Amino acid sequence: MIPYSRQSINLFDVLSVSKQLAFKSLTQGSKIEEFEAKVAEYVGAQYAVAVSSATAGLHLAVLALELPVNSEIITSPISFVASSNAILYSGYRPNFVDVERETINIDISLIDQELNSNHEVRAVIPVHFAGLPCDMRRLSEVIASKEVKVVEDAAHAFGAGYPSGTKVGSCEYSDMTVFSFHPVKSMTTGEGGMITTNSYDLYKKLLRLRSHGINKLNDSFESSLLSTSGGMLNPWYYEMQELGFNYRLTEIQAALGVSQIDRLDKFIKDRKSRVDWYLLNLLEVPAVTPAQSKSSTQSAHHIFPIRINYSELNISRAQLMNSLKEREIGTQVHYIPIPLHPYYQKLGFGVENLPETMSYYHEALTIPLYPSLKQSQQRKVIIELSNLIGASQEK
Ligand SMILES: Cc1ncc(COP(=O)(O)O)c(C=O)c1O
């Protein structure tokens, strides 16, 4: 089977994890700090906070903004539910703005319109879909004169860069950026995530929230009665100062992260060469176009979504996916628009104002892409796709 995505693990990864497991701490030790320092250095941010998943990271990032109650947060409907669930967890309301056709990223001119007419919006969570960065410079111009915060959902985009040359995660245009290290992402820690920021206050708040809301770094104690006896600091004392969570990454996962990050640029290079091959060879396949037509050398190439114009064909998407599966080719649809999920429907969300989202959703298909994908496998994907589509045109 050729899966739509898979991780790349080598002997160095196995050794790094085994060494950690056999000889070192399993949680709350120095490996996490080492991993955080490596990520911060790689993206060019001042601080990085490792968390148990990007979902946890998005939750903490939204909480750390401390927005007024009833705030709305704009985000993209073409994303995994985690992007907007983080808004709901924190008691705010998602506001879904349509995507742009060329990139399937959130349409920044529509954000501009929304901000000018809706004064409940206090933050934006842009999603760098498939690893292709949103136009963050434009977004920062749009929000410049407004009290609006930005958290980048960069779950797909570890290793990607902005046109300015800085990396996604540098927070050049945002308050915080959140990455995912789930196995299908740019690199993996099994499950895991990272939040980056340049704000010391946000950093401290994120560290606290990650670990039950218990004081961190140089936080002063609120209770002098409990924290001291006879004028001396009590050695056992710690203090829960707000309601936090256990969203920590383990040291074992951090050991995998420390080993994987050394190959991140190679992973992205390998993904890009496979994307380039697809772009050339897809030209021969009727009714198929790449979903992201605006080219960018800066993408992390997390997945390779294509669009298929099924209205020209006598085959449905379900039939095509099933036939590809019979031929040992895995595909997926990224994503079911978030407001279509029953939970969101029950909350009153809909897709009436999201024509590009729906147009994309009806045509979307993600075909296999990962660093170790062989050219013979890519050829098989193209040949089988061509055959199935060609046969359906002749009917
Ligand atoms: C855009 C996006 N945001 C957030 C997440 C959540 O990531 P995690 O699985 O690390 O919680 C995902 C996961 O696929 C995602 O695709």
Side-chain angles (χ1 to χ4, degrees), residues 329-347:
I329 296 170
T331 54
Q332 186 49 285
V333 173
H334 292 96
Y335 289 95
I336 301 161
I338 299 174
L340 278 185
H341 284 282
Y343 185 81
Y344 279 85
Q345 294 269 304
K346 281 180 221 147
L347 291 179

Side-chain angles (χ1 to χ4, degrees), residues 123-165:
V124 182
I125 303 183
V127 179
H128 303 308
F129 179 67
L132 182 67
C134 298
D135 187 344
M136 294 301 295
R137 193 144 80 122
R138 178 114 188 277
L139 178 63
S140 66
E141 286 162 8
V142 159
I143 63 161
S145 59
K146 305 192 168 71
E147 273 294 297
V148 172
K149 305 286 187 191
V150 178
V151 174
E152 293 169 73
D153 181 341
H156 298 185
F158 192 38
Y162 305 114
S164 67

Side-chain angles (χ1 to χ4, degrees), residues 27 32 36 49-61 63 86 89-90 192-195 206-213 243-250 253:
T27 187
I32 297 201
E36 289 173 337
V49 177
V51 280
S52 51
S53 66
T55 305
L58 286 164
H59 183 190
L60 296 192
L63 280 179
Y89 299 151
S90 313
M194 190 73 74
I195 313 165
L206 292 168
L207 288 180
R208 261 203 314 272
L209 288 172
R210 174 179 74 177
S211 222
H212 307 278
L243 187 62
F245 305 84
N246 179 351
Y247 281 169
R248 295 187 298 260
L249 195 73
T250 68
Q253 291 168 304

Side-chain angles (χ1 to χ4, degrees), residues 107-119:
D107 187 330
I108 292 170
S109 56
L110 295 179
I111 296 183
D112 196 15
Q113 282 175 26
E114 186 64 16
L115 289 177
N116 287 328
S117 60
N118 178 346
H119 303 293

